[in-house]
């Protein structure tokens, strides 16, 4: 069986006014992820993300009125590369410690793809 890629997913609130600051941080972070083995990094700024009654992305991150939801993911060749790469990224002195979002409301996790079409 062919080894599947591994994906880290992230959801966070970012102040609307901090879009350029977030993009600069994300660009630098993407370079680090790729330096440490990631295949690709995708950052998405909310455009059509509805409020929910029971659950929603805005509710999940406790979005405030002056914030938008950012959805992003990192694709790794496999989980072993992700384990090494993620540790290296977090330990890398180039990794920004000044994140333009509330890290307490960051939602993240690692995923094994079950369908790539």
């Amino acid at each position: 069986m062919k080894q599947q890629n591994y994906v880290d997913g992230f959801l966070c609130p970012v102040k609307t006014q901090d879009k350029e600051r977030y993009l600069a941080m994300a660009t630098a972070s993407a370079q680090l992820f790729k330096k440490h083995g990631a295949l690709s990094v995708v950052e998405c700024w909310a455009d059509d993300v509805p409020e929910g009654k029971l659950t929603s992305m805005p509710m999940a991150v406790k979005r405030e009125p002056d914030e938008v939801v950012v959805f992003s993911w990192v694709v790794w060749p496999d989980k072993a590369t992700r384990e090494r790469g993620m540790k290296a990224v977090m330990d890398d002195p180039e990794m920004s410690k000044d994140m333009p979002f509330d890290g307490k409301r960051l939602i993240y996790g690692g995923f094994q793809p079950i369908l790539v079409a």
Side-chain angles (χ1 to χ4, degrees):
M1 179 177 186
K2 183 180 182 277
Q3 175 66 40
Q4 292 279 334
N5 290 343
Y6 196 82
V7 178
D8 277 307
F10 305 91
L11 193 65
C12 70
V14 178
K15 290 198 179 298
T16 304
Q17 69 190 32
D18 287 340
K19 184 176 185 179
E20 292 305 316
R21 187 171 156 227
Y22 181 86
L23 186 57
M25 181 272 316
T27 300
S29 296
Q31 291 172 349
L32 284 178
F33 281 116
K34 291 179 119 181
K35 172 182 168 184
H36 294 295
L39 299 174
S40 65
V41 177
V42 178
E43 295 282 347
C44 304
W45 192 261
D47 179 56
D48 184 15
V49 180
E51 293 286 342
K53 293 190 189 291
L54 294 176
T55 64
S56 69
M57 289 180 171
M59 290 170 72
V61 298
K62 299 181 188 230
R63 184 182 61 84
E64 295 175 1
D66 63 340
E67 295 176 328
V68 298
V69 175
V70 173
F71 175 52
S72 57
W73 63 93
V74 179
V75 179
W76 303 91
D78 52 55
K79 189 173 182 181
T81 303
R82 179 263 196 161
E83 295 296 320
R84 288 188 306 274
M86 189 62 83
K87 180 179 181 339
V89 167
M90 293 300 122
D91 291 344
D92 196 308
E94 294 178 43
M95 183 63 168
S96 174
K97 302 302 181 205
D98 179 34
M99 300 294 179
F101 58 87
D102 182 355
K104 294 176 186 167
R105 293 184 287 146
L106 170 70
I107 298 170
Y108 62 91
F111 298 85
Q112 294 179 340
I114 59 172
L115 173 68
V116 177

